Amino acid sequence: HYWGVQVDGKTGEVLAVSRRNSDLVENIHDGAILDDLFRTNGEILKVLYTTITGLGLFIFTVTGFWLWYGPKYMRRTQHRGVIAGS
């Protein structure tokens, strides 16, 4: 049920009618397909989906930064402790 129609702006002639797969991909990407599959009113599943994926992205960003920065921080603090202890 995703169709695209190209119309000439000057003459109004229909240039092409074709099936649009990009809308399906977009609905899968943003979670709107869940609302279509479960026939919910509004966009509650889409909002829930995007909230969960957004929180997941934030958590992965923070933990990824710590996995990159943590060893540098620990090496620096251990190095200072060795110098201060000598």
Side-chain angles (χ1 to χ4, degrees), residues 8-67:
D8 186 346
K10 185 176 181 182
T11 65
E13 178 186 358
V14 175
L15 300 175
V17 177
S18 61
R19 188 170 176 89
R20 290 185 47 114
N21 294 326
S22 62
D23 290 336
L24 176 62
V25 172
E26 181 181 341
N27 284 343
I28 291 170
H29 175 75
D30 70 359
I33 195 163
L34 295 174
D35 288 314
D36 292 340
L37 288 174
F38 293 108
R39 294 181 180 14
T40 59
N41 293 332
E43 297 180 335
I44 188 68
L45 293 177
K46 177 181 175 179
V47 171
L48 185 63
Y49 170 80
T50 55
T51 302
I52 290 170
T53 55
L55 288 172
L57 178 61
F58 177 73
I59 289 169
F60 287 149
T61 301
V62 170
T63 57
F65 177 76
W66 179 251
L67 287 172

